[in-house]
Amino acid sequence: MADMFVKQAKQYAEARPNYPEELFKFIASKTPKHELAWDVGTGSGQAAASLAPIYKNVIATDTSPKQLEFAIKLPNIRYQLTPPTMSITELEQNVATQSSVDLVTIATALHWFDLPQFYKQVKWVLKKPNGVIAAWTYYWPKINEFVDAVFKSFHSVDYEPFREPQPKLVENKYMSIDFPFEPVDGVDNTGPFDQFVLEKLMDLDDYLTFIQSSSGYQTAKNRGVELLTDNMMEKFNVAWNSDGQSKKVARFPLYLRIGKVEN
């Protein structure tokens, strides 16, 4: 996964939307204490930066040094490069001691993980009882009927052959992803919950940069295929400018899984 995002790390940091404040308020309301949060697969640190005002300390880890170069720097965030797999000893050295973490977050990355191994680590570091894990993802942005129609054709014909299998869990809104945790207080299941929406003001260049920051685009590029051909760019250009507005609000539906550990 790390190698896939190295080449477009700067694009990823610039193109990805910020998560809504309401998301973090909801998650934080489910953790009894706000001392330490671990943001896994932090990338360029969007989630870590939103956790920093709420939690006393945030440890944000990623396997990609290039991604961490562009991460948002704040005094109470410690960024840590980690190997793709860690022993318990390495986990304790790089992240935290046993039963010391209030919250583990995974923003748009859980579908890339070795879940059985990762969940063992989560259950080891989370405080017991009631340590919380929250994982969320979002799908492609909705713009308007004209742009969305061009994208639908592009995605199903041009992009589809280069999709990795993991993002199909995103397409399924994390409904089918393994999530072996108990519901947090106030809800009767672990989700996915869909009451949160990301919004980002974009022009056409921003929108195309978002596409270029995706795993499928990078896979195609590594195989010598340019998905955004001149013909495809012209189709997007015509659709984008059909309403005479150069900037548009892109809306990203967000899907949250949240649970807690028992004793």
Side-chain angles (χ1 to χ4, degrees), residues 124-146:
W124 190 83
V125 299
L126 278 177
K127 289 180 179 177
K128 301 171 186 64
N130 300 326
V132 170
I133 175 174
W136 62 90
T137 190
Y138 58 86
Y139 204 42
W140 294 99
K142 299 291 185 182
I143 307 296
N144 62 30
E145 60 178 314
F146 306 108

Side-chain angles (χ1 to χ4, degrees), residues 207-242:
Y207 181 75
L208 295 175
T209 299
F210 182 87
I211 293 174
Q212 291 168 334
S213 73
S214 68
S215 60
Y217 180 89
Q218 190 62 41
T219 297
K221 200 168 185 65
N222 288 341
R223 297 179 188 174
V225 177
E226 175 54 66
L227 293 179
L228 292 174
T229 61
D230 290 345
N231 181 52
M232 184 56 64
M233 295 275 274
E234 179 59 23
K235 288 180 180 179
F236 276 120
N237 184 58
V238 170
W240 192 273
N241 292 297
S242 61

Side-chain angles (χ1 to χ4, degrees), residues 16-102:
R16 296 286 150 160
N18 292 321
Y19 301 110
E21 184 179 350
E22 295 76 18
L23 171 67
F24 296 97
K25 287 181 178 178
F26 175 78
I27 293 170
S29 73
K30 305 302 179 183
T31 62
K33 294 186 178 180
H34 301 102
E35 294 171 352
L36 179 60
W38 175 25
D39 186 44
V40 194
T42 195
S44 49
Q46 284 104 329
S50 294
L51 291 166
I54 305 172
Y55 289 83
K56 183 177 179 180
N57 290 293
V58 177
I59 169 70
T61 61
D62 205 281
T63 60
S64 168
K66 195 68 175 177
Q67 288 273 25
L68 292 177
E69 278 184 29
F70 297 99
I72 303 163
K73 307 300 190 291
L74 290 171
N76 64 330
I77 300 177
R78 176 169 67 88
Y79 288 102
Q80 179 69 47
L81 181 68
T82 56
T85 58
M86 288 187 286
S87 66
I88 292 298
T89 300
E90 290 172 320
L91 182 66
E92 187 169 15
Q93 291 172 344
N94 290 322
V95 180
T97 56
Q98 186 174 15
S99 303
S100 64
V101 174
D102 298 292

